[in-house]
């Protein structure tokens, strides 16, 4: 298949996802639609490496991840990041709900080994899935090795629509309070009336505007991402910290001290392409979901996901109520475990865009829903899931 043929086909899928999301006012997520179309494509005429043919190999996707996550950090303030302790507690409670219900009810419905292999991929990303897949293969459990990958590939089909529904309910509730003057977003509490975003960050105000080019913005963004990477490398002998988690944190700090402007990728006219590339790479994982694989493991996969999501909902709703967070928002942040970044950003953004045309209202909803969704996604996928995979793989191999 020619490169431009592959690229055009993939762009058509992403556009169809946007159209369906817009027509249904985000009740059906674009991410969900695209995932379905990718699966159909792989089952019919897509070459297995269509994303790479189109020009997005894994190395490019990794680069885009560094830049995008650092860019996302500029959306948050230090105060907003500190306020996310409730999000972290709720997210951990949701994961606890998955573990508890699957180890109890799940072990009755399925065997214990199946549950052990399934839990880490269900609350995380590709790293935890690979750890459990390799552990199952080492233990001689070939079908469970495939199950670990399959759950990682398919769990988004539950997470995408559920998250969209929860966020729409939360958004409508908060929008009504905002219009009645019953709620003031964090960014308005900090700044009074929202000030216009500065095009040039404070530390570089003395530099003539003609030198603030698209490349200068991306250069400064790359410096921050590079610092995050090396801090992760240097801290590795003492504590393992994902460079992507550090990218988010350093993005917050860099924008707070005036080294980065808000959303430098957007100001450099690069954000859309970066999201495009990363989304294609995420959907690339669906090539592993063959019809034969789905037929063999369909029942355990669906059963595990359903039981896990029920446990997640119950635990997160209870803890959310104790912390004064609505059950919809509590469930939404917990659901990020099923897909992580960038789907958490895209789903949240498209829900916000569907709820209002007013820019001030969009900013209010963004300040309320985006920070917890981003923080929750990194907590689950990059940290907790890998820890669980290490523990559960050891148990599996000791049986």
């Amino acid at each position: 298949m020619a490169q431009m043929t592959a690229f055009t086909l993939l762009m058509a899928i992403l556009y169809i996802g946007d159209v369906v999301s817009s027509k249904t006012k985000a009740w059906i997520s674009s991410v969900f639609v695209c995932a379905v179309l990718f699966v159909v494509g792989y089952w019919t005429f897509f070459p297995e490496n269509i994303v790479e043919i189109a020009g997005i190999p894994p190395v490019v996707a990794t680069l885009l991840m560094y830049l995008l996550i650092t860019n996302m950090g500029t959306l948050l303030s230090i105060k907003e990041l500190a306020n996310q302790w409730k999000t972290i507690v709720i997210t951990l409670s949701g994961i606890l709900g998955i573990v508890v219900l699957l180890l109890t009810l799940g072990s009755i419905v399925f065997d214990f080994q199946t549950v052990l292999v399934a839990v880490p991929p269900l609350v995380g990303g590709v790293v935890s899935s690979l750890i459990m897949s390799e552990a199952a293969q080492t233990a001689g459990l070939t079908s469970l090795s495939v199950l670990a990958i399959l759950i990682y590939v398919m769990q988004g089909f539950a997470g995408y629509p559920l998250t969209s529904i929860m966020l729409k309910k939360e958004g409508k509730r908060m929008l009504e309070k905002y219009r009645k003057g019953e709620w003031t977003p964090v960014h308005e509490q900090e700044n009074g009336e929202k000030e216009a975003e500065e095009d040039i960050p404070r530390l570089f105000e003395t530099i003539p505007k003609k030198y603030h080019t698209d490349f200068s913005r991306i250069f400064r963004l790359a410096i921050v991402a590079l610092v995050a990477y090396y801090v992760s490398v240097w801290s590795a002998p003492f504590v393992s910290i994902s460079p992507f988690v550090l990218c988010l944190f350093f993005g917050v700090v860099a924008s707070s001290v005036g080294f980065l402007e808000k959303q430098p990728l957007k100001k450099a006219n690069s954000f859309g392409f970066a999201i495009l590339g990363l989304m294609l790479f995420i959907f690339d994982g669906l090539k592993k979901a063959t019809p034969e694989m789905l037929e063999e493991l369909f029942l355990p996969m669906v059963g595990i996901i359903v039981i896990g999501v029920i446990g997640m909902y119950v635990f997160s709703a209870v803890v959310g109520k104790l912390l004064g967070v609505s059950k919809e928002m509590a469930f939404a942040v917990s659901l990020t475990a099923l897909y992580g970044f960038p789907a958490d950003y895209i789903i949240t953004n498209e829900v916000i865009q569907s709820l209002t045309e007013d820019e001030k209202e969009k900013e209010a909803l963004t300040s309320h829903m985006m920070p917890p969704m981003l923080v929750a996604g990194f907590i689950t996928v990059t940290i907790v899931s890998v820890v669980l995979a290490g523990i559960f793989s050891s148990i599996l191999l000791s049986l």
Side-chain angles (χ1 to χ4, degrees), residues 275-348:
I275 283 287
L276 176 158
L278 195 54
M279 287 309 299
L280 290 182
F281 180 68
I282 297 299
F283 292 131
D284 184 53
L286 294 170
K287 65 189 176 187
K288 297 182 176 68
T290 64
E292 296 76 21
M293 187 190 297
L294 280 177
E295 183 180 356
E296 179 185 354
L297 299 170
F298 182 77
L299 287 178
M301 177 188 69
V302 172
I304 285 165
I305 292 175
V306 169
I307 293 171
V309 169
I310 290 172
M312 176 190 290
Y313 174 74
V314 173
F315 276 60
S316 64
V318 170
V319 174
K321 187 172 183 179
L322 293 173
L323 296 177
V325 177
S326 70
K327 63 180 183 295
E328 290 84 8
M329 195 67 221
F331 191 29
V333 298
S334 294
L335 283 166
T336 59
L338 303 185
Y339 45 81
F341 181 85
D344 51 1
Y345 171 82
I346 291 173
I347 294 171
T348 307

Side-chain angles (χ1 to χ4, degrees), residues 34-257:
C34 292
V36 172
L37 292 176
F38 262 85
V39 168
V40 172
Y42 282 124
W43 287 1
T44 51
F45 66 98
F46 278 9
E48 192 173 278
N49 62 337
I50 187 171
V51 172
E52 191 166 348
I53 291 172
I56 311 294
V59 65
V60 172
T62 302
L63 170 64
L64 295 177
M65 182 85 84
Y66 276 103
L67 297 180
L68 275 167
I69 294 174
T70 307
N71 181 81
M72 293 303 161
T74 68
L75 288 169
L76 309 177
S77 68
I78 297 290
K79 182 177 179 180
E80 285 174 321
L81 196 62
N83 286 341
Q84 294 310 313
W85 68 270
K86 289 184 180 180
T87 297
I88 296 171
V89 173
I90 291 169
T91 304
L92 293 176
S93 72
I95 292 173
L96 181 62
I98 291 177
V99 173
V100 169
L101 213 63
L102 279 175
L103 289 180
T104 53
L105 178 60
S107 296
I108 296 172
V109 179
F110 310 102
D111 64 87
F112 185 61
Q113 289 178 322
T114 300
V115 171
L116 280 178
V117 170
V119 170
L122 190 58
V123 299
V126 65
V127 175
S128 57
S129 302
L130 290 174
I131 291 172
M132 294 313 301
S133 179
E134 290 173 8
Q137 192 72 46
T138 302
L141 306 168
T142 305
S143 62
L144 293 186
S145 174
V146 175
L147 179 65
I149 299 298
L150 189 59
I151 285 179
Y152 161 67
V153 169
M154 302 304 291
Q155 61 191 351
F157 285 96
Y160 303 148
L162 282 174
T163 303
S164 188
I165 291 168
M166 292 300 109
L167 288 179
K168 279 187 75 74
K169 289 184 176 181
E170 176 70 7
K172 285 180 177 178
R173 183 179 70 85
M174 297 307 294
L175 205 52
E176 187 177 339
K177 291 176 67 176
Y178 185 67
R179 288 168 177 169
K180 290 179 179 178
E182 297 174 358
W183 167 58
T184 304
V186 173
H187 71 280
E188 291 185 13
Q189 293 174 19
E190 290 180 342
N191 304 326
E193 292 188 1
K194 179 70 176 178
E195 298 176 2
E197 286 184 4
E198 291 295 330
D199 195 44
I200 300 172
R202 291 193 307 277
L203 295 181
F204 302 95
E205 287 177 337
T206 57
I207 297 175
K209 192 170 183 178
K210 64 181 179 180
Y211 296 118
H212 292 281
T213 66
D214 292 347
F215 294 147
S216 75
R217 293 186 172 98
I218 296 174
F219 173 53
R220 284 185 278 105
L221 191 68
I223 289 173
V224 177
L226 181 67
V227 171
Y229 169 76
Y230 275 112
V231 170
S232 174
V233 171
W234 293 332
S235 63
F238 313 101
V239 59
S240 178
I241 307 175
S242 167
F244 298 128
V245 173
L246 291 174
C247 280
L248 183 72
F249 174 72
F250 283 120
V252 175
V253 173
S255 67
S256 298
V257 301

